[in-house]
Amino acid sequence: MAQDVCQPAPVYSAFLSYSRQDAAIAQRVLSRLESYRLPRRLHPRTGAWNDKTRRLKQLFRDLDEMTVAPDIDSAVREAMAASAYLIVLCSPQSAKSDWVSREIEMFRAMHGDTTILTALIEGTPATAFHPALLHNVGGALMQPLAADFRPEGDGPQLARLKLVAGMAGVPLGELVRRDAQRRMRQFALAAAALLVFLGIVAALIITAQRSRQDAVQQSARAGTMSRYMLDDLRDKLKRYGSLGMLAEVNQGVMETFRGRSLAGLSDAEREQLAKLRLAIGEDAEQRGDLAGARIEIAEAGRITAARLAAAPDDPQRIFDHAQSQYYIALVDWLTNDRSGAQAAFQAYRDLAGRLVAADARNADWSMEVGYAEENLGMYALRSQLDTGTAAAHFRDALKAFQTTVRLRPNDRDAASAITDTYAWLGDTLRLRGDYVGARANRTLQRQILDSMRVADPRDRQVESEIVTNDLAMARIDAAEGQLQRALDMLDRGRTGAVAVAQSDPDNVRRAAQVRIFDLFKLRTWLAMPISMRPSAAVLAKTNGNCKDDEKRLKNTELAEFCAILAARRQGLAPPASNATPVDALSERWGIDFAKERTLTPARVG
């Protein structure tokens, strides 16, 4: 928010409001914020910053600042009037605090709602948000968007960046990119300085052993940074960021390996390099670059296979090679190599089974079994339309994920995996004609997704899955003959798909998600009597340009569905497929193209 030129510059960057029981945490948050320096080329757009130091102005923490104030209320009001922002530290303790309530209302009366920031430090959104935060100055209900300092949330680093971005008036994505680049530059400078120092020491004191020890220390520091960027930061950016931001992270980590041979890397470095290759391959697949994805994933597979061969019973190496097998199967599947995909999926299941056999109480290993069973179910369904085998695999997957939840309650990844399994079961039952069971499973999925959205409204992965749930429900409605209800659901889902796609313009899969709603809407219209359909011009516009689906969105599945619907719309014979059918159902949306080609507008269902 731009600083109002008519108002005096604030003395304090922010006023911290918190429960006295959280004083220790408040001090840590304050220290993290006050020690942060904005990266160069980022220019703050608010008055909360010192232009010379590029740090926040002093933060007001009432316990420190008001110990000698004769009139506490007056001191609070003066401090708030001189503060650019209010930061409320949210916990079960602060949610019950009358004093926190007074501070929120006083600040809101002076500055409005837009400069109130929240930091979740303990508990859950349901237990930690003070009731005063749940409505705006006009009394309307609102859902606070908190920087989540909890380990299971954003973590301290990303949470700090969220607060900094808010108080600087800069996009979070840009701040994360600049911060990551600065960290890598700082690391490079530190490494260079360390090398100079080692050179002096070697010239003066000298021993090969000392040089080797220092090199190990330097490598360990590089490994720590790589692990942070590949694990913690990457995980957060997948939820909140974009492919462009992920590419920058990958590039930053790759710099630590530039110019070094595989033979010269330590085992820990090889582990990190394999993980990096998988990350680059995963992102390439999301961009539609399957050739690039195959190269990176194959290289990762060679590294993990060699490491596993050297220590066949090492659980971490079994796990790492299992990840390679999964991505090999995925790319084989997307490039129509069904035998390769089936072999890799089964290898993944075998490796996951070895992990559970070694330690049945390990929640991570039960997750791997669940993923592997889900993959085999997907293969049986999509490739062979074997709904019985598929349903059995999906139910086994559900049991494995539920085991993880019993071993590790409130596990977000397990909850997400359970939603996926409900989705697969729902689609399987729809194809079997069990619409009641299909709807029940998709409803269970939606309930979990809605609770995840409440817990974190900015999670774009959850938003994308909610959109997919809308499409699935519309398809069940259409299969039951509830065509108007299907159209209403398609409209709702498309609105959500547009919002998700706009948040990540580089992601062609999200753009394709918008397009599929148009095509299913056209399909539903063509199932209606002619008198109930829109005009021919509206139908044609909704049908769109089928060649553009393949060229711009790089999606042959969309292009083929579009062409079939175009022929059906015009009363023509359906076009032949451009490729030999590999599966009974299409890759992403599970469309039975053979069946679609037999349908006329009067028989679509």
Side-chain angles (χ1 to χ4, degrees), residues 47-81:
W49 295 82
N50 184 307
D51 293 335
K52 292 182 179 180
T53 65
R54 303 185 65 77
R55 296 185 190 275
L56 285 164
K57 295 179 180 178
Q58 181 182 358
L59 280 83
F60 188 95
R61 179 170 174 251
D62 56 6
L63 184 64
D64 296 329
E65 307 292 341
M66 298 192 308
T67 53
V68 296
D71 182 346
I72 297 296
D73 259 8
S74 296
V76 168
R77 292 182 182 279
E78 289 176 8
M80 285 187 171

Side-chain angles (χ1 to χ4, degrees), residues 8 12 84 87 143 169 171 179 195 216 239 249 259 282 296 342-343 348 357 389 471 534 549:
Y12 302 106
I87 299 176
Q143 177 65 42
D179 188 76
L195 287 174
V216 167
R239 292 168 60 187
V249 170
E282 179 187 3
E296 296 294 339
Q342 185 178 29
Y348 178 33
T389 299
L471 178 63
D549 290 335

Side-chain angles (χ1 to χ4, degrees), residues 20-306:
R20 294 297 168 268
Q21 298 174 60
D22 300 324
I25 301 178
Q27 181 56 50
R28 290 198 294 271
V29 171
L30 182 144
S31 298
R32 281 183 168 273
L33 291 173
E34 289 189 331
S35 64
Y36 189 80
R37 186 193 299 270
L38 271 181
R40 293 177 183 176
R41 300 183 187 176
L42 277 186
H43 302 291
R45 300 167 186 166
T46 75
W49 295 82
N50 184 307
D51 293 335
K52 292 182 179 180
T53 65
R54 303 185 65 77
R55 296 185 190 275
L56 285 164
K57 295 179 180 178
Q58 181 182 358
L59 280 83
F60 188 95
R61 179 170 174 251
D62 56 6
L63 184 64
D64 296 329
E65 307 292 341
M66 298 192 308
T67 53
V68 296
D71 182 346
I72 297 296
D73 259 8
S74 296
V76 168
R77 292 182 182 279
E78 289 176 8
M80 285 187 171
S83 298
Y85 290 88
L86 174 70
I87 299 176
V88 183
L89 302 190
C90 300
S91 70
Q93 296 77 244
S94 69
K96 301 173 184 176
S97 169
D98 292 337
W99 186 248
V100 169
S101 176
R102 290 182 62 193
E103 290 179 333
I104 293 170
E105 296 300 347
M106 278 193 282
F107 191 89
R108 176 178 282 140
M110 295 179 190
H111 301 285
D113 291 300
T114 58
T115 52
I116 298 178
L117 306 176
T118 52
L120 182 57
I121 58 174
E122 188 180 323
T124 66
T127 62
F129 287 145
H130 197 287
L133 293 169
L134 303 180
H135 61 83
N136 61 21
V137 69
L141 291 176
M142 59 185 291
Q143 177 65 42
L145 301 180
D148 191 345
F149 280 82
R150 301 173 304 164
E152 67 271 26
D154 298 325
Q157 174 63 15
L158 185 57
R160 175 174 69 168
L161 292 182
K162 285 186 176 182
L163 289 179
V164 167
M167 289 191 285
V170 299
L172 175 61
E174 180 68 11
L175 179 61
V176 170
R177 281 197 295 271
R178 296 290 187 188
D179 188 76
Q181 290 169 351
R182 179 174 65 183
R183 283 170 172 265
M184 290 307 301
R185 284 196 300 270
Q186 289 172 342
F187 173 77
L189 289 172
L194 180 61
L195 287 174
V196 171
F197 173 74
L198 291 178
I200 296 172
V201 171
L204 296 176
I205 320 185
I206 158 202
T207 81
Q209 181 62 31
R210 176 62 182 274
S211 296
R212 282 194 295 272
Q213 288 174 348
D214 288 333
V216 167
Q217 290 174 359
Q218 180 183 343
S219 175
R221 291 188 180 110
T224 299
M225 177 60 74
S226 296
R227 281 192 293 275
Y228 164 71
M229 297 184 77
L230 280 177
D231 296 335
D232 299 339
L233 182 58
R234 180 175 172 81
D235 180 63
K236 306 306 181 189
L237 292 183
K238 285 175 71 174
R239 292 168 60 187
Y240 304 113
S242 67
L243 286 173
M245 294 164 66
L246 288 168
E248 293 231 11
V249 170
N250 295 339
Q251 184 63 31
V253 178
M254 184 59 81
E255 287 301 320
T256 66
F257 296 102
R258 194 75 64 194
R260 304 174 67 189
S261 68
L262 185 62
L265 300 180
S266 68
D267 182 67
E269 289 171 325
R270 293 182 190 189
E271 178 185 359
Q272 289 298 309
L273 181 57
K275 186 177 292 188
L276 173 60
R277 293 287 193 189
L278 282 183
I280 295 174
E282 179 187 3
D283 296 345
E285 183 272 320
Q286 289 286 306
R287 290 193 303 272
D289 178 12
L290 295 180
R294 182 182 286 279
I295 292 170
E296 296 294 339
I297 290 167
E299 181 60 31
R302 282 191 287 272
I303 297 172
T304 56

Side-chain angles (χ1 to χ4, degrees), residues 222-533:
T224 299
M225 177 60 74
S226 296
R227 281 192 293 275
Y228 164 71
M229 297 184 77
L230 280 177
D231 296 335
D232 299 339
L233 182 58
R234 180 175 172 81
D235 180 63
K236 306 306 181 189
L237 292 183
K238 285 175 71 174
R239 292 168 60 187
Y240 304 113
S242 67
L243 286 173
M245 294 164 66
L246 288 168
E248 293 231 11
V249 170
N250 295 339
Q251 184 63 31
V253 178
M254 184 59 81
E255 287 301 320
T256 66
F257 296 102
R258 194 75 64 194
R260 304 174 67 189
S261 68
L262 185 62
L265 300 180
S266 68
D267 182 67
E269 289 171 325
R270 293 182 190 189
E271 178 185 359
Q272 289 298 309
L273 181 57
K275 186 177 292 188
L276 173 60
R277 293 287 193 189
L278 282 183
I280 295 174
E282 179 187 3
D283 296 345
E285 183 272 320
Q286 289 286 306
R287 290 193 303 272
D289 178 12
L290 295 180
R294 182 182 286 279
I295 292 170
E296 296 294 339
I297 290 167
E299 181 60 31
R302 282 191 287 272
I303 297 172
T304 56
R307 293 185 68 246
L308 180 59
D313 297 324
D314 185 324
Q316 185 60 48
R317 296 185 187 211
I318 295 173
F319 172 81
D320 290 343
H321 193 51
Q323 306 315 296
S324 296
Q325 290 300 310
Y326 165 74
Y327 281 106
I328 288 169
L330 175 64
V331 174
D332 282 347
W333 179 277
L334 295 178
T335 53
N336 297 331
D337 180 358
R338 288 298 173 266
S339 61
Q342 185 178 29
F345 278 142
Q346 188 58 56
Y348 178 33
R349 175 61 182 86
D350 293 343
L351 290 164
R354 287 170 60 183
L355 290 170
V356 169
D359 184 1
R361 298 289 299 171
N362 189 310
D364 290 330
W365 302 162
S366 62
M367 285 288 287
E368 292 305 305
V369 169
Y371 290 138
E373 291 289 355
E374 192 171 72
N375 292 333
L376 290 171
M378 176 270 291
Y379 183 89
L381 183 66
R382 290 281 172 87
S383 182
Q384 302 162 346
L385 201 52
D386 183 349
T387 56
T389 299
H393 279 303
F394 294 141
R395 290 188 175 107
D396 285 343
L398 192 59
K399 291 176 184 176
F401 295 138
Q402 289 169 339
T403 295
T404 298
V405 172
R406 286 194 295 272
L407 294 171
R408 193 164 60 204
N410 303 318
D411 184 283
R412 184 191 181 281
D413 289 338
S416 180
I418 287 172
T419 66
D420 287 343
T421 310
Y422 280 137
W424 281 111
L425 265 174
D427 288 352
T428 303
L429 295 178
R430 171 176 58 80
L431 290 166
R432 297 179 73 173
D434 180 2
Y435 304 132
V436 173
R439 189 180 299 281
N441 276 277
R442 281 293 186 172
T443 299
L444 289 169
Q445 180 203 21
R446 183 56 180 260
Q447 289 170 352
I448 299 174
L449 290 173
D450 284 342
S451 66
M452 293 171 73
R453 176 163 60 178
V454 169
D456 190 348
R458 286 175 289 185
D459 190 327
R460 288 302 178 188
Q461 286 181 315
V462 169
E463 289 295 337
S464 182
E465 289 162 14
I466 286 174
V467 166
T468 302
N469 182 274
D470 286 339
L471 178 63
M473 285 296 203
R475 295 177 73 176
I476 296 170
D477 289 336
E480 288 182 309
Q482 301 290 335
L483 300 182
Q484 186 55 55
R485 192 166 69 184
L487 289 172
D488 293 340
M489 185 62 73
L490 288 169
D491 284 340
R492 185 177 86 171
R494 189 185 189 282
T495 299
V498 169
V500 171
Q502 288 174 341
S503 71
D504 190 359
D506 294 332
N507 195 325
V508 295
R509 290 178 68 85
R510 288 183 175 175
Q513 193 175 34
V514 177
R515 176 70 171 133
I516 195 64
F517 277 92
D518 293 335
L519 296 181
F520 269 105
K521 188 170 188 178
L522 174 61
R523 185 185 188 278
T524 306
W525 276 333
L526 293 177
M528 293 177 163
I530 293 176
S531 61
M532 297 180 63
R533 299 177 198 165

